[in-house]
Amino acid sequence: MRRRVERLLRDIALQRIDILYGLGVEAVRRGDYALAKRYGELIRRIAMKARVRIPKGIKRWICKNCNVIMVPGINVRIRTRREGKTLRIVTRCLVCGWIHRYEFIRGGSDGI
Ligand SMILES: [Zn+2]
């Protein structure tokens, strides 16, 4: 029983994360970075409380430093570089200047 409740809470948490991310993207489009940061913080807090992982497709777009939601073409600059089988992705948050680095191995399941 308890397990079922926990799973339900996690489902709700994931749904809320999804909604907040969408709202965050809209806030960035309007230029309201303060609000976008607030949404980023909320997403982290909800994930921590419900002990869920933030989906990769969303986690990548929350700045580790200032928690702002990053939207390509608006407040984040993306550089990619291929080195053999590895694809290096460097994103720079244009709100605080924080640089994030990711690596992908080609053929892996972790596509972008
Ligand atoms: Zn930032």
Side-chain angles (χ1 to χ4, degrees):
M1 187 59 197
R2 197 172 148 70
R3 282 218 154 161
R4 230 159 98 187
V5 171
E6 266 179 32
R7 224 175 74 188
L8 192 68
L9 286 176
R10 279 178 198 184
D11 279 352
I12 291 168
L14 284 171
Q15 279 171 29
R16 288 191 66 194
I17 286 171
D18 215 44
I19 292 165
L20 286 168
Y21 175 70
L23 290 172
V25 170
E26 272 176 35
V28 170
R29 290 208 174 114
R30 284 199 308 268
D32 193 346
Y33 294 154
L35 195 61
K37 279 183 191 179
R38 180 95 186 102
Y39 288 134
E41 281 168 22
L42 276 171
I43 288 173
R44 282 197 197 285
R45 204 171 305 161
I46 289 167
M48 220 189 290
K49 245 184 161 175
R51 279 179 288 158
V52 293
R53 270 171 209 265
I54 301 172
K56 267 185 190 156
I58 291 179
K59 193 174 183 186
R60 210 170 280 149
W61 303 114
I62 301 174
C63 177
K64 272 195 183 109
N65 187 52
C66 71
N67 283 327
V68 78
I69 309 278
M70 298 187 290
V71 181
I74 301 181
N75 62 349
V76 61
R77 202 162 57 208
I78 306 163
R79 295 258 148 91
T80 59
R81 214 171 63 201
R82 259 190 204 292
E83 282 175 18
K85 279 194 169 176
T86 313
L87 177 65
R88 285 181 208 281
I89 297 179
V90 179
T91 62
R92 186 192 168 106
C93 169
L94 299 179
V95 178
C96 72
W98 191 262
I99 293 170
H100 310 78
R101 291 185 176 84
Y102 306 99
E103 273 184 15
F104 295 93
I105 311 289
R106 213 183 327 186
S109 57
D110 191 23
I112 192 161

